[in-house]
Amino acid sequence: MKKSGVWLVILLLLAASSVVWFRNVSPSSLAKFAQNQTVRQTDNSTTTDSKVEEPFNQPVSQNSLPAKPTKFVPILMYHYIRSYDNPADQLGIGLSVAPTTFDAQLAKLKSAGYKTVTLQEFFQGQYPAKAVVITFDDGYDDHYNQALPILKKYSDVATFFIVGGFVGKPGYMTSQQIIALKSAGMEIGGHTMTHINLATAPYLKAYQQISGSMIGRDPVFAYPAGKYASDTLNIVRSLHIEAAVTTNLGVATDVSDLLALPRLRIKNTTDVVGLIIKETALAKNGGNRPSSPSQTPGE
């Protein structure tokens, strides 16, 4: 009985000490104490430490493997829609598709069962099995004069990336023509204010160039000449842009980086359907190319 009484007194004293200790320790101190008591497993024993060692040569879980694409959406890249054959301007020739050729390309897409969608529809996952996105860079006036009537002929939609500072200048669309494109169901995105190299531009200038070109536009963007840096992606992300395209060659998929989507460059001599089939097959087989932006100036 005496021993039981002694133990009872000891337990009461310990309980009282615990109450005093908890009253004098702040919640933040308790939280810090708990964080430092990280449990580390070593063989069958358990020790405590303030750091957790990284697993060494650990088998990769199937859940951590990159997701395999199940949907493939080619994004076509156009610039000029014009008949152009100036031997002294090979760049201009490479960026030009004749109106008759463009008409034939859309006809082939239609007969092959492809359905045009906007980048926003791609972002939302709202597209059929054989979806294709048609894009136009820079905002040339032939986009309104030549491309729009052909697009309407086939009930197609397309995305137009506008250089904000070029609007209304000779050779470029006016504000009224851009509004007409939008009224016709087309998607209008940004393309900076003066077509600068975003890979080398200072952060503030890049931010002003990108954000300025997005005023009044749909939340889609194209990097001029496909050039960008990690800061560029951060700016685009901060502006809540849903999808951005590069000039990297490839087919976009349901697991692609939405802010660095690849495209297929279309020329006057391109077999559009054949190129789509070839590149889609490559993407399905896991073919990867170096993610290097095009160095072609003036795009």
Side-chain angles (χ1 to χ4, degrees):
M1 292 295 293
K2 288 183 178 181
K3 288 184 178 180
S4 299
V6 171
W7 281 110
L8 180 59
V9 171
I10 291 172
L11 290 173
L12 289 172
L13 288 173
L14 288 172
S17 299
S18 298
V19 171
V20 172
W21 185 80
F22 275 101
R23 284 181 176 176
N24 288 281
V25 177
S26 66
S28 60
S29 297
L30 286 172
K32 186 175 181 180
F33 176 82
Q35 289 175 357
N36 288 334
Q37 301 309 302
T38 305
V39 177
R40 182 179 61 194
Q41 297 293 333
T42 306
D43 297 327
N44 294 324
S45 63
T46 302
T47 60
T48 60
D49 203 331
S50 59
K51 294 181 181 179
V52 178
E53 293 183 349
E54 293 293 328
F56 179 75
N57 201 24
Q58 189 102 347
V60 178
S61 167
Q62 290 298 320
N63 293 330
S64 65
L65 292 174
K68 292 184 178 180
T70 59
K71 298 179 181 179
F72 302 84
V73 181
I75 303 175
L76 311 184
M77 175 173 57
Y78 289 91
H79 286 80
Y80 296 100
I81 301 300
R82 63 179 181 177
S83 297
Y84 190 74
D85 188 19
N86 181 358
D89 184 13
Q90 291 301 311
L91 174 61
I93 292 176
L95 297 178
S96 301
V97 173
T100 53
T101 302
F102 182 58
D103 188 303
Q105 289 173 343
L106 294 193
K108 288 181 179 179
L109 286 171
K110 186 74 68 177
S111 63
Y114 287 95
K115 169 71 175 178
T116 55
V117 298
T118 65
L119 276 175
Q120 288 178 90
E121 289 172 324
F122 173 75
F123 168 80
Q124 295 161 2
Q126 299 176 354
Y127 50 86
K130 297 186 74 172
V132 61
V133 179
I134 297 175
T135 66
F136 295 86
D137 287 13
D138 302 334
Y140 299 115
D141 56 5
D142 56 55
H143 295 172
Y144 174 80
N145 297 323
Q146 301 292 342
L148 180 59
I150 299 171
L151 288 165
K152 293 170 79 173
K153 173 182 176 181
Y154 294 98
S155 300
D156 283 331
V157 295
T159 302
F160 295 81
F161 297 110
I162 309 299
V163 180
F166 294 174
V167 176
K169 289 188 176 183
Y172 293 88
M173 288 187 288
T174 65
S175 296
Q176 291 74 21
Q177 290 173 331
I178 295 171
I179 292 172
L181 284 178
K182 182 65 178 176
S183 298
M186 305 299 152
E187 186 175 55
I188 311 296
H191 199 37
T192 72
M193 294 301 292
T194 59
H195 206 276
I196 66 166
N197 182 348
L198 291 172
T200 58
Y203 187 92
L204 180 58
K205 183 174 184 179
Y207 183 89
Q208 292 170 336
Q209 284 272 332
I210 297 171
S211 60
S213 74
M214 294 303 300
I215 296 174
R217 306 303 186 208
D218 294 310
V220 294
F221 184 78
Y223 305 102
K227 298 177 182 178
Y228 59 93
S230 57
D231 277 348
T232 318
L233 298 176
N234 291 333
I235 293 170
V236 169
R237 190 175 293 108
S238 72
L239 293 171
H240 304 292
I241 291 171
E242 295 178 349
V245 297
T246 68
T247 59
N248 299 333
L249 177 61
V251 171
T253 75
D254 52 339
V255 298
S256 292
D257 182 349
L258 287 166
L259 299 186
L261 294 169
R263 289 191 285 180
L264 301 179
R265 183 187 302 276
I266 307 302
K267 299 181 179 181
N268 199 58
T269 56
T270 301
D271 173 4
V272 176
V273 174
L275 178 62
I276 289 175
I277 292 172
K278 173 187 172 183
E279 291 297 327
T280 301
L282 181 62
K284 287 181 178 179
N285 291 329
N288 296 314
R289 293 187 178 84
S291 181
S292 55
S294 166
Q295 300 301 311
T296 306
E299 293 185 50

